[in-house]
Amino acid sequence: MDHSGHGMMMDLPPFTLGRGLEFGGDAFFLVGCLLGLALYGWAVLRLRRRGDSWPVGRIVAWVVGVLTVALVMCTKLNDYGMAMFSVHMVQHMVISMLSPILLLLGAPVTLTLRALPTAGRGHKGPRELLVALLHSRYMRVITHPAFTIPLFIASLYALYFTPLFDFLMESRAGHIAMMVHFLAVGLVFFWPIMGVDPGPHRPGYVMRMLELFAGMPFHAFFGIALMMASETMVTTFQHPPASLGIDALSDQQAAGGIAWAFSEIPSVLVLIALVFQWYTTEKRQSVRKDRAADRDGDKELAAYNAYLASLNARSQGSQS
């Protein structure tokens, strides 16, 4: 296929869902997705061979997460995304706001820590290096909301409304690099909020919800800005190939509608995950307290009852 100055396909037929979902075979993401599935499967098998279990729900979340990446990057959607703002926005929203949530629910870091062998005393293997990375200052910085929220917002406004976007879209490599960035930003943003894996920044559940709502509205505002614009705002998509039969401004407004509508989907998914995690945490703590009470004969309750009895005795003594 020929490319224009901005890397757009010049002989693409008009977009249909069937054409968009045809296998496109982008080598970089295809290899990445296959490796992701293979390594995760190897780790699960390693656990099960030694008699350890791994939740089926996490396996499903990981597989579906990888498949969502493949859906938008290993099909013809990737070709159409080089020429149509609306299709590009579908790619962006899925790979930055849906795929990261599913991948994080798969708990890949926890699985890796359990699957990797422990190095001998005085030695550092892959597992020890991963643990050191998780506790490093670098991880504390990139998972802190003072870093993740501005990065999440800048990935929209500082990219689409500057010449950087046009520069990256001049080649397929630049487009791939942009999508890798979107995926990484999504993982970094959602990991402290609802990730199952251990991390240096893990606030309480109320604070996690506040972090979520601090970032999500900016996607909606971005979408509204595209929808309300009276002229095209991104140079790359100003002159779509005639073979597509689309109007650039209408396509931009469709992209804005996708960005605006899609911002609600991850909010709902993350809130459901947070409420479930909150519930399970409270349930575990309740079970721990019950077990502790059984072991010590409920000393805490007995001490509290004794305290109330002493207060009652003092009150009766003062009245007499």
Side-chain angles (χ1 to χ4, degrees):
M1 287 186 179
D2 296 324
H3 292 67
S4 71
H6 292 293
M8 298 188 300
M9 307 301 175
M10 295 304 295
D11 57 352
L12 283 173
F15 177 80
T16 64
L17 185 59
R19 288 171 179 161
L21 294 180
E22 290 177 5
F23 178 69
D26 185 276
F28 180 87
F29 276 96
L30 180 60
V31 171
C33 289
L34 291 176
L35 274 176
L37 292 175
L39 292 174
Y40 196 94
W42 168 82
V44 172
L45 287 176
R46 183 177 173 86
L47 259 62
R48 291 189 172 174
R49 281 174 184 165
R50 71 185 189 206
D52 294 335
S53 62
W54 185 252
V56 175
R58 292 184 181 179
I59 299 174
V60 172
W62 177 263
V63 171
V64 175
V66 172
L67 291 180
T68 59
V69 175
L71 178 69
V72 296
M73 296 307 302
C74 300
T75 63
K76 293 292 184 181
L77 287 177
N78 196 43
D79 291 339
Y80 281 99
M82 297 287 289
M84 296 177 63
F85 202 175
S86 56
V87 177
H88 169 85
M89 193 55 65
V90 170
Q91 288 183 284
H92 179 177
M93 293 295 108
V94 169
I95 208 168
S96 69
M97 301 178 72
L98 179 60
S99 302
I101 294 172
L102 293 167
L103 293 174
L104 288 168
L105 289 175
V109 176
T110 302
L111 177 61
T112 303
L113 289 173
R114 291 184 61 183
L116 288 174
T118 303
R121 182 175 297 180
H123 299 280
K124 284 189 176 181
R127 187 180 187 279
E128 287 71 25
L129 292 175
L130 178 57
V131 171
L133 176 63
L134 290 172
H135 291 87
S136 66
R137 181 179 298 178
Y138 169 76
M139 293 302 296
R140 287 198 298 271
V141 171
I142 69 168
T143 59
H144 195 279
F147 178 84
T148 60
I149 295 175
L151 179 66
F152 192 69
I153 298 168
S155 292
L156 279 175
Y157 296 89
L159 182 62
Y160 285 97
F161 299 151
T162 68
L164 179 59
F165 182 82
D166 297 320
F167 171 75
L168 292 172
M169 290 294 288
E170 286 178 355
S171 66
R172 184 176 291 272
H175 188 229
I176 291 172
M178 186 193 308
M179 291 299 169
V180 172
H181 168 77
F182 288 150
L183 179 61
V185 169
L187 289 169
V188 169
F189 178 75
F190 288 111
W191 180 18
I193 296 175
M194 46 68 63
V196 182
D197 290 318
H201 176 72
R202 197 50 57 99
Y205 287 99
V206 174
M207 186 58 66
R208 295 189 204 182
M209 292 180 184
L210 292 176
E211 289 182 26
L212 173 66
F213 290 121
M216 288 295 104
F218 288 93
H219 269 262
F221 296 153
F222 171 76
I224 293 171
L226 293 178
M227 292 171 64
M228 299 294 290
S230 57
E231 60 183 20
T232 54
M233 301 176 68
V234 180
T235 305
T236 295
F237 301 111
Q238 281 183 349
H239 304 290
S243 62
L244 290 172
I246 61 172
D247 174 68
L249 184 58
S250 298
D251 188 53
Q252 175 179 284
Q253 291 170 346
I258 291 167
W260 172 71
F262 207 97
S263 63
E264 302 300 323
I265 297 175
S267 299
V268 173
L269 290 176
V270 173
L271 279 177
I272 292 173
L274 280 176
V275 170
F276 180 75
Q277 290 174 8
W278 198 346
Y279 167 76
T280 54
T281 300
E282 292 294 326
K283 190 175 180 180
R284 287 173 188 164
Q285 291 178 350
S286 177
V287 170
R288 288 195 197 102
K289 289 180 179 178
D290 290 343
R291 288 176 178 172
D294 292 339
R295 286 195 303 267
D296 60 19
D298 212 346
K299 292 180 181 178
E300 184 178 348
L301 180 61
Y304 182 67
N305 288 335
Y307 172 71
L308 291 178
S310 66
L311 289 179
N312 186 45
R314 290 178 187 175
S315 175
Q316 292 178 350
S318 62
Q319 289 176 1
S320 61

